[in-house]
Amino acid sequence: QVHLVEAGGGWAQAGDSLLLSCAASGGTFSMYGMDWYWFRQPPGMRRELVASMTGSGTTYVADSVKGRFTISRDNDKNTAYLQMNALKPEDTAVYYCAVDSTASGTYDSWGRGTQVTVSS
């Protein structure tokens, strides 16, 4: 029911920064009751969790991107963000956002995914 639209992917050089956004619309949800997730899937690899944020604002960032990536949200815009700094070639992947609109343990909506390519 919740529709997610991603933006901000593209090409970058090592050391550059990119900001991904994921805007939610439709359905019935509260930004304070909905959990946000950012996943990525490198070429030929399994999808992995990169970062998450609960409706109450508690965040998680994977060790592989800790200190470089930050998850945040804008409640007025119903949008979550993934700020990616100091990009590395190994960050190259398709990035997906997902939400658990009721914080029930189920990903009920997914974005289409956006390609991030980092060259050395």
Side-chain angles (χ1 to χ4, degrees), residues 2 28-30 33-35 99-104 106-109:
V2 179
T28 301
F29 65 91
S30 169
M34 182 166 67
D35 296 342
V99 295
D100 180 352
S101 62
T102 59
S104 60
T106 301
Y107 307 120
D108 50 304
S109 296

Side-chain angles (χ1 to χ4, degrees), residues 36-69:
W36 294 84
Y37 302 86
W38 285 100
F39 293 86
R40 69 183 182 185
Q41 186 169 19
M45 304 293 289
R46 297 173 180 265
R47 182 177 297 179
E48 63 179 346
L49 178 65
V50 176
S52 66
M53 172 177 278
T54 69
S56 62
T58 302
T59 61
Y60 162 84
V61 180
D63 288 342
S64 59
V65 301
K66 191 170 297 181
R68 299 187 299 117
F69 290 13

Side-chain angles (χ1 to χ4, degrees), residues 54-104:
T54 69
S56 62
T58 302
T59 61
Y60 162 84
V61 180
D63 288 342
S64 59
V65 301
K66 191 170 297 181
R68 299 187 299 117
F69 290 13
T70 303
I71 186 171
S72 63
R73 73 180 188 223
D74 187 326
N75 294 333
D76 292 335
K77 297 180 179 179
N78 293 335
T79 300
Y81 302 92
L82 185 67
Q83 177 65 56
M84 305 186 296
N85 297 325
L87 284 165
K88 303 176 180 179
E90 50 263 46
D91 295 321
T92 296
V94 178
Y95 284 73
Y96 302 87
C97 67
V99 295
D100 180 352
S101 62
T102 59
S104 60

